Amino acid sequence: MFEKLKRKHKIWCVIGAVICFLVSGVVVAFSVNDIKTLLLKPAALETLDAADIKEDLKVTAKIRYVMDYYAYTETKGQTTSREFIIPVGEKEYMGLVCSGSKMRELNANMELYWDYLDGKDVDLNDLPVIEVKGTIQPITGESLTFYTEFIDSIGLPEEDVDNFIPYMLKVGEIGKVDTGTFAMKVIMFAIFFIIGLVVLISGIRGNNLKDVMKYCEAKGNKDYELQKIEQFYQMQPPVQGIRANEEYLISINGSTVRFAPADKLIWAYTHIIQHRQGLIPTGKTYSIMIRRSDGVALDIPMSSENACKQALDYLASVYPYIYIGYDNQWNSMYSKNRGEMTRLVQERKAEMQQLINNDTYDMNNNSEL
């Protein structure tokens, strides 16, 4: 039985791991160009000619002159990003889009440049140099429309229009995504890859039988104890999937094995989770929560609240000394003073055992008379 459960668990773990690895592989596949861009050594924008500007080019830029802006994004009355015109090459111009503090710094330089053009007392050499880094991408969509409209509005001669190249420097972006999105992709890849690895290791090690094996090894004769538990499982009729005696409790669902030595059991109660879609109840999930003296919890799924009651009645008949049912005071004691709760359970067990021994003694004496 245990070898069969181990094989079944391994198969499910391999399937789960493959799915996780596939998801992480898809994340990488959709990020290949961004990863390539990340690994590139950035070029200095101020050293490039207009002919060098191309898609997915990673650059750093030291910007002093901001000529104008052609588009901005506004949220709740606040400008959250702005698309500027900056010089590039010998006489060309391109776009730059950014947000946050860099946007405010560039905007301040732009206004100082405007003051200079208006004849105000502004020394262009005093404009601060603003350092940014990002990726160059083609201007597309609405941005391209606004960019074209801006160029048309200036009324440039035909030969000068070509000096405005249709590319923009996207500050803070890696490839075609911003740094935050790229970081989320990396985190998603790591999560699915690690989960897949953990699940695969669990299957290889047979972790679904970890508690059973640990118990049998502690007893000193692993094979004998395994055979004993298997025989108990085959012979003992289950109550709502739970089999229990004075030595141990076991419940098997699919390939999941929930096991505990009887001397570690101290509390069992019904656990109900209410599911909602917004404010609308959509159903409940039932289980029996069994708490052990070492802090381990066994969450055994049940089909209904009545099934939970039958399971608790069964546990109360086999282990009359443990706490049955949920109580806030018991929950507080288990959380804060589990040792005391364990001691009380052991005392109750000892008292009940003493009563049984006394009754047995009295029965034996009466039979002799």
Side-chain angles (χ1 to χ4, degrees):
M1 178 186 76
F2 288 119
E3 284 302 318
K4 184 178 179 181
L5 284 171
K6 188 175 181 179
R7 285 195 302 271
K8 189 175 182 180
H9 178 69
K10 184 183 290 185
I11 290 169
W12 281 112
C13 285
V14 168
I15 292 172
V18 168
I19 292 172
C20 288
F21 292 149
L22 283 175
V23 172
S24 61
V26 169
V27 173
V28 171
F30 278 99
S31 306
V32 169
N33 289 334
D34 301 327
I35 294 170
K36 287 180 179 178
T37 303
L38 178 66
L39 298 176
L40 290 174
K41 183 179 179 181
L45 184 64
E46 55 273 12
T47 65
L48 301 178
D49 293 327
D52 299 324
I53 302 300
K54 60 183 179 179
E55 185 176 349
D56 289 335
L57 180 63
K58 183 179 178 183
V59 299
T60 59
K62 296 179 179 179
I63 300 169
R64 172 173 285 167
Y65 305 116
V66 181
M67 322 313 294
D68 213 323
Y69 74 94
Y70 60 92
Y72 65 93
T73 302
E74 192 173 72
T75 304
K76 296 181 180 179
Q78 299 291 324
T79 301
T80 54
S81 71
R82 196 181 288 268
E83 298 177 27
F84 298 97
I85 299 288
I86 61 170
V88 62
E90 293 184 359
K91 58 177 182 177
E92 292 83 8
Y93 302 91
M94 65 179 289
L96 177 149
V97 58
C98 69
S99 58
S101 61
K102 292 298 181 184
M103 176 192 71
R104 291 188 287 272
E105 291 176 34
L106 289 165
N107 203 67
N109 268 29
M110 180 183 69
E111 291 178 353
L112 285 172
Y113 183 73
W114 287 352
D115 289 342
Y116 168 79
L117 294 178
D118 289 339
K120 295 181 181 179
D121 187 17
V122 175
D123 187 346
L124 291 182
N125 292 322
D126 291 337
L127 266 62
V129 174
I130 302 166
E131 296 188 12
V132 297
K133 58 183 178 180
T135 306
I136 292 174
Q137 297 293 349
I139 303 178
T140 58
E142 285 190 340
S143 290
L144 181 58
T145 300
F146 295 137
Y147 186 68
T148 304
E149 289 176 351
F150 171 84
I151 297 170
D152 291 341
S153 69
I154 301 175
L156 294 172
E158 186 75 26
E159 62 272 15
D160 290 337
V161 170
D162 293 337
N163 291 335
F164 287 81
I165 59 178
Y167 284 92
M168 64 164 61
L169 168 56
K170 292 191 172 184
V171 175
E173 294 206 357
I174 300 171
K176 292 180 173 59
V177 298
D178 59 69
T179 306
T181 302
F182 184 81
M184 287 300 298
K185 287 184 177 182
V186 172
I187 292 170
M188 186 182 298
F189 163 79
I191 288 173
F192 278 99
F193 185 81
I194 291 170
I195 290 174
L197 201 59
V198 170
V199 170
L200 184 61
I201 292 172
S202 174
I204 293 172
R205 292 182 174 178
N207 283 354
N208 60 324
L209 297 172
K210 181 175 63 176
D211 289 340
V212 175
M213 296 302 176
K214 185 177 179 181
Y215 172 84
C216 294
E217 288 170 359
K219 285 290 186 178
N221 192 333
K222 179 180 174 181
D223 293 337
Y224 170 75
E225 293 296 334
L226 278 172
Q227 185 179 0
K228 186 178 173 184
I229 294 172
E230 185 166 347
Q231 185 178 14
F232 159 73
Y233 184 85
Q234 299 294 342
M235 299 297 294
Q236 179 72 25
V239 176
Q240 296 301 330
I242 300 174
R243 292 169 168 85
N245 65 7
E246 67 280 359
E247 290 187 84
Y248 27 69
L249 174 149
I250 188 169
S251 173
I252 298 176
N253 184 268
S255 64
T256 302
V257 180
R258 297 172 178 87
F259 176 88
D263 59 5
K264 290 187 180 295
L265 305 179
I266 59 175
W267 184 24
Y269 58 89
T270 297
H271 185 229
I272 303 175
I273 299 176
Q274 175 72 67
H275 302 283
R276 294 180 181 274
Q277 186 69 37
L279 297 176
I280 302 173
T282 57
K284 294 179 180 179
T285 301
Y286 300 90
S287 64
I288 292 298
M289 190 70 73
I290 300 175
R291 300 286 186 174
R292 294 170 32 163
S293 57
D294 55 5
V296 175
L298 278 67
D299 193 0
I300 303 177
M302 294 286 148
S303 60
S304 64
E305 192 167 4
N306 184 57
C308 292
K309 183 180 182 304
Q310 291 179 26
L312 288 180
D313 289 343
Y314 173 58
L315 292 176
S317 68
V318 180
Y319 311 116
Y321 45 85
I322 71 171
Y323 292 86
I324 298 291
Y326 186 84
D327 184 278
N328 286 330
Q329 290 184 340
W330 294 349
N331 185 54
S332 178
M333 184 187 298
Y334 186 84
S335 300
K336 299 176 181 178
N337 198 353
R338 192 167 63 247
E340 176 63 13
M341 195 173 188
T342 302
R343 187 187 65 79
L344 292 172
V345 168
Q346 290 172 344
E347 280 189 359
R348 291 165 63 173
K349 182 179 180 181
E351 289 172 0
M352 290 180 182
Q353 187 62 49
Q354 185 62 44
L355 288 173
I356 293 171
N357 292 340
N358 288 342
D359 288 344
T360 303
Y361 178 77
D362 290 341
M363 288 176 62
N364 289 336
N365 282 346
N366 289 334
S367 63
E368 288 175 4
L369 292 173

